[in-house]
Amino acid sequence: MAKAKRFGSFGGVFTPSILTILGVIMYLRLPWIIGQAGLLATLGIILVAHIISGSTGLSVASIATDKKVETGGTYFIISRSLGLPIGGTLGWALFTGLSFSVSLYLIGFAEVFLGYFGFDVNITTIRIAGSAVLFLLTILTFISTSLAIKTQYIILTAMVLSLLSVFFGSHEYAPAHPQLYSLPESLPWISLFAIFFPAVTGFEAGVSMSGDLKDPRKAIPIGTISAIIVGLVVYLVLSFFFSYTVQSDLLVNDPNVLFKISWISQLVIAGILGATLSSALGSILGAPRILQAVAGDRIAPFFFSKGYGPSKEPRNALLLTYIIAQTGILIGELNAIARIVTIFFIISYGFLNITYAVESWASSDFRPTFKIPRFVSIIGSIACIVVMIQLDILAMTGASVILLALFFYLKNKELNLQTGDTRASIWLSLVKTGLLKLTKNKNTSRNWRPNIILFSGGARNRPYLIELGKAIVGKLGIFTNFELIEQPDENLLFEKKVKVSTETIGEYSDIVTRKHVCNDIYEGMEMISRVYGFSGFEPNTVLMGWAKNTKNPEKFQELLINLNKLDYNLTFLKYNKEKGFGKYKSIDFWWSGKGRNLALALHLIRFITVTPEWRNAQIRILSINPNNK
């Protein structure tokens, strides 16, 4: 059986990433952006874009050194950290973004190819040329990923030669003074940013090859970070070069400016065509692998998870990539496709940065060999949110609605990973932080909440105790239901093992029940009351039924005395099965005339009357008159 071809950092991650980064935007839009925005604003666009891509790349690289990253790249990372519903939602977003990226690059290819060779450049010819090249690329990828990777080495060589031809070309178009500021009629900065941003999303093409790498833990960090740094340097150098050597009106108005200033124009056309093709190739390699991983987790139709050959080529998933890319080509507008790609990637990158922040904060077993400060990912996620709001509020709203609908759909399917995810750790960290805060804060009457120990004696037999407990705690308190099983045994004092369950009793759900086996019911109650609880949220109230037929009233009396000494509020329910709660019409509290019972009564009234059943009940506080006067 033939072995699957595996790739290293350079061939598997760096090459597809850098060829996608230095692609259609660099050749076809960067000179135009510089001419419109000027040097300073362009540098701002490049730096903000790389803050987002750099922080995301570092987050991905760090997570990749903590756990084995399998097929699916960033989808695999998010789903194994934040769970399948969020992972699946972002997986679909990444797949859609990469698939539309294919059409973005091929539209750029068609524009240059048709213009250079003298064909009429219009929406019809762009659609025809783009569709033809998409079909050929799909066939190439369908045949062999290895062949597609080898093709990229040739394209990388052509790109390097084209850049050298630009740098060593003619300088006869140099301006008297470099343009530092935007033209008066320039597009808004954020609009230019939206057009440029797809240029920095290229590292996704390399990360998506995770399932085809020899050692993803090593290849992803090295290849990703190297590609981002090289891309940043090239874009900064080109910005200064164009600003100081080419007039702004030529940059804005002449689409053939690179051919005019180059040393050998044929090298430039080879680089442009190669860059646009390689960018499309990188995306068409990455997108199906994300869909294959999503389908493998049964979030997408299982048909797309099937792989062919030793390398498990995702040919079925490639077909859907082809359909989406063809749709983008039929749209035919480079800037419109760039807008779609930008929104999907910005959302995905925001979540990737959040994933790292959550993993490093909440996951107890998160120990990456390549660790970055948490604030890096936090800055990246904040930048994504700010840019999304500024960029296109309408497109952001539309994409968010679609992704939220998908998230709730996946959530309702109750998808879970056998390996688990970080969500439990998140809750543990939040609870721990909250308890520490509560421990430090002084409890006052204003923020008092009932924390009830309920001795139900079998909640299914006494659902009315559950009902009263729910009414007393309202929306802000909490109670734990204890069921004690008496098993007289001189060797058994109190069973160490406790069965904890969350169950639905009657119409009440999420009832936490703890079952204990003990030698004596009253001793069990006292022991639980002494030891149960946790710092910052200790139990303060005991609720139970009134013991009408107890066989041992002395022990019951002793229990009440000890509970009083432990400073518990004691509440008892003497329930009449025939009358029930009297249609919830009135609540009577009896006060002895001394002690803290009145304060307790007022607190409990506040909580009970929050519930719909008791909201309109008549409240009466009755005082006992021992003198009968």
Side-chain angles (χ1 to χ4, degrees):
M1 184 177 177
K3 280 189 176 182
K5 177 69 175 176
R6 299 291 179 181
F7 307 99
S9 302
F10 185 77
V13 182
F14 177 81
T15 302
S17 294
I18 196 64
L19 289 179
T20 310
I21 289 170
L22 304 180
V24 63
I25 302 297
M26 182 182 75
Y27 285 106
L28 300 186
R29 290 296 181 265
L30 182 64
W32 175 77
I33 290 173
I34 294 170
Q36 288 238 353
L39 177 61
L40 297 180
T42 302
L43 292 178
I45 289 171
I46 294 171
L47 292 175
V48 171
H50 278 85
I51 286 173
I52 294 174
S53 68
S55 60
T56 308
L58 288 170
S59 297
V60 170
S62 184
I63 296 174
T65 64
D66 173 65
K67 53 170 66 73
K68 183 181 179 182
V69 181
E70 300 176 5
T71 301
T74 47
Y75 159 73
F76 184 89
I77 290 170
I78 295 175
S79 63
R80 269 56 185 176
S81 297
L82 300 182
L84 286 181
I86 291 179
T89 303
L90 272 298
W92 273 109
L94 286 167
F95 166 73
T96 306
L98 277 175
S99 298
F100 273 113
S101 293
V102 177
S103 53
L104 172 77
Y105 303 130
L106 292 184
I107 290 170
F109 172 87
E111 284 184 7
V112 175
F113 180 85
L114 294 170
Y116 187 79
F117 290 102
F119 294 100
D120 188 23
V121 181
N122 57 53
I123 189 122
T124 302
T125 55
I126 287 173
R127 287 169 177 168
I128 294 171
S131 298
V133 178
L134 173 63
F135 181 76
L136 292 175
L137 282 182
T138 304
I139 294 298
L140 174 64
T141 310
F142 198 85
I143 293 171
S144 171
T145 298
S146 179
L147 180 60
I149 291 289
K150 289 175 182 176
T151 305
Q152 292 189 125
Y153 296 141
I154 301 171
I155 296 172
L156 180 60
T157 303
M159 185 185 295
V160 172
L161 292 175
S162 72
L163 288 174
L164 291 175
S165 178
V166 169
F167 286 128
F168 290 103
S170 172
H171 291 189
E172 61 182 278
Y173 302 102
H177 302 284
Q179 183 195 341
L180 298 179
Y181 304 101
S182 303
L183 295 176
E185 64 274 15
S186 170
L187 288 175
W189 185 90
I190 195 67
S191 299
L192 296 173
F193 177 90
I195 295 169
F196 175 81
F197 185 77
V200 301
T201 63
F203 76 86
E204 184 63 42
V207 177
S208 299
M209 296 293 295
S210 58
D212 297 86
L213 301 175
K214 294 176 184 176
D215 185 1
R217 290 190 179 189
K218 180 180 178 182
I220 289 177
I222 294 174
T224 300
I225 296 170
S226 300
I228 292 172
I229 292 174
V230 170
L232 173 61
V233 170
V234 171
Y235 276 113
L236 290 176
V237 170
L238 283 174
S239 298
F240 280 98
F241 178 80
F242 287 136
S243 296
Y244 280 87
T245 61
V246 186
Q247 298 167 10
S248 60
D249 61 334
L250 198 63
L251 291 172
V252 173
N253 299 314
D254 192 345
N256 297 318
V257 62
L258 293 184
F259 304 137
K260 288 184 176 181
I261 68 171
S262 63
W263 175 34
I264 304 174
S265 62
Q266 290 80 5
L267 289 178
V268 175
I269 188 63
I272 294 175
L273 296 180
T276 50
L277 282 178
S278 67
S279 299
L281 195 57
S283 297
I284 209 170
L285 285 171
R289 282 160 173 76
I290 291 177
L291 180 59
Q292 184 182 43
V294 172
D297 289 329
R298 299 191 179 276
I299 295 173
F302 198 69
F303 168 79
F304 295 118
S305 69
K306 185 172 176 58
Y308 295 86
S311 299
K312 303 295 181 184
E313 302 278 352
R315 292 176 179 172
N316 293 353
L318 178 62
L319 296 176
L320 184 57
T321 303
Y322 173 81
I323 292 170
I324 295 175
Q326 182 63 60
T327 303
I329 289 173
L330 293 178
I331 294 173
E333 290 289 339
L334 189 69
N335 292 350
I337 299 299
R339 171 182 167 181
I340 296 171
V341 171
T342 295
I343 285 294
F344 277 108
F345 273 112
I346 284 277
I347 292 173
S348 303
Y349 286 2
F351 269 92
L352 271 169
N353 282 302
I354 291 170
T355 296
Y356 177 82
V358 167
E359 282 279 8
S360 62
W361 171 59
S363 182
S364 58
D365 62 345
F366 184 67
R367 297 181 179 87
T369 54
F370 174 71
K371 195 168 184 178
I372 64 170
R374 194 181 305 153
F375 74 84
V376 172
S377 60
I378 294 173
I379 290 173
S381 58
I382 292 173
C384 288
I385 294 170
V386 172
V387 168
M388 272 195 296
I389 294 171
Q390 294 292 323
L391 184 61
D392 192 332
I393 192 69
L394 184 62
M396 185 197 77
T397 303
S400 300
V401 168
I402 294 171
L403 293 178
L404 280 173
L406 180 58
F407 168 75
F408 285 117
Y409 169 73
L410 297 176
K411 186 76 173 174
N412 289 335
K413 289 182 71 173
E414 296 184 355
L415 298 168
N416 289 300
L417 288 166
Q418 292 182 349
T419 54
D421 52 52
T422 319
R423 286 177 294 175
S425 296
I426 295 172
W427 286 113
L428 284 172
S429 296
L430 288 172
V431 170
K432 176 184 174 182
T433 303
L435 289 176
L436 288 173
K437 290 285 185 182
L438 287 172
T439 302
K440 294 176 182 178
N441 292 336
K442 290 184 178 180
N443 198 11
T444 63
S445 59
R446 181 177 180 180
N447 60 27
W448 184 87
R449 303 285 183 270
N451 184 357
I452 292 178
I453 294 176
L454 170 61
F455 295 116
S456 65
R460 295 195 178 278
N461 298 325
R462 299 175 181 83
Y464 45 84
L465 271 171
I466 298 293
E467 182 178 352
L468 182 62
K470 277 283 190 180
I472 291 176
V473 299
K475 295 181 179 179
L476 301 174
I478 189 172
F479 78 86
T480 306
N481 174 39
F482 282 88
E483 290 188 12
L484 298 180
I485 303 168
E486 193 172 65
Q487 201 174 86
D489 184 346
E490 60 181 12
N491 296 319
L492 175 68
L493 178 63
F494 199 77
E495 190 179 47
K496 289 183 178 180
K497 294 180 180 178
V498 55
K499 296 177 182 177
V500 182
S501 63
T502 304
E503 56 187 338
T504 299
I505 299 172
E507 60 183 55
Y508 299 100
S509 59
D510 298 332
I511 305 300
V512 179
T513 299
R514 302 172 66 91
K515 294 184 179 181
H516 283 275
V517 177
C518 57
N519 195 19
D520 178 82
I521 289 290
Y522 297 112
E523 291 178 3
M525 287 182 180
E526 185 176 341
M527 182 172 289
I528 288 170
S529 302
R530 287 181 182 276
V531 301
Y532 180 69
F534 31 88
S535 296
F537 205 61
E538 291 86 355
N540 51 35
T541 305
V542 171
L543 171 63
M544 68 177 81
W546 184 256
K548 291 182 286 187
N549 301 312
T550 179
K551 296 177 181 178
N552 200 332
E554 291 81 9
K555 280 199 170 185
F556 181 55
Q557 180 184 8
E558 185 181 350
L559 170 67
L560 299 185
I561 293 170
N562 290 333
L563 290 177
N564 190 52
K565 289 179 180 179
L566 292 170
D567 201 27
Y568 277 102
N569 301 310
L570 303 181
T571 53
F572 304 93
L573 174 62
K574 187 177 181 181
Y575 187 73
N576 187 313
K577 291 186 178 181
E578 295 180 3
K579 295 181 179 180
F581 289 106
K583 298 182 180 180
Y584 310 100
K585 287 184 177 180
S586 63
I587 301 174
D588 290 351
F589 279 98
W590 289 88
W591 182 40
S592 64
K594 58 182 179 180
R596 294 178 298 172
N597 286 0
L598 182 60
L600 174 63
L602 294 174
H603 276 301
L604 295 182
I605 286 173
R606 180 160 59 97
F607 285 95
I608 291 175
T609 52
V610 170
T611 57
E613 295 85 356
W614 294 98
R615 188 165 294 158
N616 298 317
Q618 181 184 5
I619 310 297
R620 292 196 305 172
I621 298 178
L622 306 173
S623 177
I624 299 172
N625 184 357
N627 299 320
N628 195 23
K629 293 180 181 178

